[in-house]
């Protein structure tokens, strides 16, 4: 019997309802197969009940059938992660597990006001509780062949191409699969070959359904977006996860997924801002696939959420590919800000630069960085650099960093580094010698530390908005 795991009593998979959903039938089928082959599958009741609730909450349009099936199969072999699992070693998910998770309903009546109702960008997509709201979006005025909107309204030719590229992540975790089960629709940004958009596409996410602090109810939304840029195309994507004034301090869970596919010679500049409720959970998957000579640039600032976690997976699929990542995480309260990144080189002359900064200003705040760069055998002449720098500004503040550089190729130029410290006393003395008190000096230095990342946002309006947000967190009296 060595190497064979026996399944516990099958009563773990019994549901109270007498009617059988597709997900329940799949479970029973997989269970019978597993029993016959003496192979163990997950019987985590929490995961299975959540999957069934998601299936019942949203219909399954025919184009999303394969995504649903792949996600349900993945969930069958998944259990809820604990701190004994290496990817979640420093990330506590117990408050999610202890909550009554409820799929966020379709916003009815259709909201007329969201944080992005008066978007300053000509092209704006409004996604409320995971649902694309066409009445609050402006997606006209693009060149021929460009499409921004829901999957169900796509031209059949483009839809076929889009569905070929959907669900392309091999190493997605439980939360990637939960999104696949619960995404009510797929928002698509499609840029045809040779088209370079001059106007950015602004994706505004908001959560209107929330619960008060102390409640066990936790509303879950699963927005999903696919960006396809064909050969030689170019687009700027701005993702902004914000908070509605009506539920500024409410509890909810945004479990988002973004897939980006960049064709040969294409370019995507991706701006990602996360300022959700300090009581919310924000878990985000970003999967990027880059063909040869393509460019992907990410600038991220995350300050919101009781739990903020970004899983970033990038795979270079051709030579002479460029990837630049600049991220800033701020824990100004009892928060966990977590970035898990993975960058895989498989072809010659790849280039990457990753700069990650985190600031923890609260004694119960925490930041986590797990950065993986893998240079495989045929990725010769790769030039990859990774640097993480962290500021700990309270005695019990915590940061856990794990830079990881794996090199199999033998003709490369790669480096990584990590630094964790408080502000240097000499810097503070420099300001004090010029008549600036220590508190003001600390605020200036902290703000300047994050400014290196903020300055990389390509639009001044975004830079100004982020600076104002961070200033209010570092100095609440300035509000």
């Amino acid at each position: 019997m060595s190497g064979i795991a026996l399944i516990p009593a099958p009563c773990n998979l019994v549901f109270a309802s007498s009617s059988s959903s597709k997900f329940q039938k799949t479970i029973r089928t997989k269970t019978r197969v597993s029993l016959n082959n003496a192979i163990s599958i997950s019987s985590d009741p929490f995961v299975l009940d959540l999957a069934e609730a998601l299936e019942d909450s949203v219909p399954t349009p025919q184009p999303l059938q394969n995504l649903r099936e792949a996600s349900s199969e993945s969930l069958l072999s998944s259990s809820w992660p604990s701190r004994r699992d290496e990817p979640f070693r420093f990330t506590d998910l117990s408050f999610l597990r202890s909550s009554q998770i409820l799929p966020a309903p379709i916003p009815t009546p259709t909201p007329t006001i969201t944080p992005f109702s008066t978007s300053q960008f000509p092209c704006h997509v409004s996604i409320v509780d995971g649902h694309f709201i066409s009445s609050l979006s402006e997606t006209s005025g693009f060149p021929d062949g460009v499409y921004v909107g829901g999957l169900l309204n796509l031209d059949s030719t483009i839809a076929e191409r889009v569905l070929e590229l959907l669900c392309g992540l091999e190493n997605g975790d439980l939360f990637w699969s939960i999104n696949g089960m619960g995404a009510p629709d797929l928002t698509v940004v499609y840029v045809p070959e040779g088209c370079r958009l001059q106007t950015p596409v602004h994706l505004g996410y908001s959560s209107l359904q929330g619960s008060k602090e102390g409640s066990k109810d936790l509303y879950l939304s699963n927005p999903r977006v696919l960006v396809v840029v064909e050969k030689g195309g170019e687009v700027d994507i701005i993702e902004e996860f914000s908070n509605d004034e009506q539920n500024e301090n409410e509890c909810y869970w945004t479990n988002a997924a973004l897939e980006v596919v960049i064709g040969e010679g294409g370019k995507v500049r991706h701006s990602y801002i996360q300022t959700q409720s300090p009581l919310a959970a924000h878990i985000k998957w970003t999967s990027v696939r880059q063909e040869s000579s393509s460019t992907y640039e990410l600038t991220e600032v995350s300050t919101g959420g009781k739990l903020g976690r970004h899983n970033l997976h990038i795979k270079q699929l051709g030579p002479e590919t460029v990837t630049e990542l600049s991220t800033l995480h701020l824990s100004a309260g009892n928060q966990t800000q977590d970035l898990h990144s993975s960058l895989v080189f498989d072809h010659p002359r790849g280039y990457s630069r990753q700069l990650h900064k985190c600031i923890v200003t609260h004694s119960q705040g925490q930041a986590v960085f797990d950065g993986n760069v893998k240079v495989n055998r045929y990725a010769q002449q790769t030039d990859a650099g990774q640097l993480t720098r962290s500021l700990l500004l309270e005695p019990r503040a915590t940061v856990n960093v794990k830079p990881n550089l794996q090199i199999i190729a033998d003709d490369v130029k790669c480096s990584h580094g990590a630094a964790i410290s408080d502000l240097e006393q000499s810097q503070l003395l420099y300001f004090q010698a010029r008549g600036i008190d220590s508190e003001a000096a600390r605020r200036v230095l902290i703000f300047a530390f994050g400014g290196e990342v903020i300055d990389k946002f390509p639009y001044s309006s975004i830079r100004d908005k982020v600076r104002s947000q961070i200033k209010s967190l570092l100095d609440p009296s300035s509000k």
Side-chain angles (χ1 to χ4, degrees), residues 147-160 162 188 190:
Y147 178 80
V148 179
L151 174 64
L152 300 183
N153 295 323
L154 254 177
D155 175 83
S156 58
T157 304
I158 300 177
E160 184 177 350
V162 164
V188 177
Y190 180 82

Side-chain angles (χ1 to χ4, degrees), residues 80-106:
W80 189 263
S82 72
R83 301 187 76 165
R84 290 175 293 181
D85 300 307
E86 184 61 28
F88 295 89
R89 181 181 172 191
F90 303 112
T91 306
D92 186 5
L93 301 174
S94 59
F95 86 98
L96 293 180
R97 178 80 187 230
S98 63
S99 300
Q100 178 67 34
I101 299 175
L102 305 171
I106 300 173

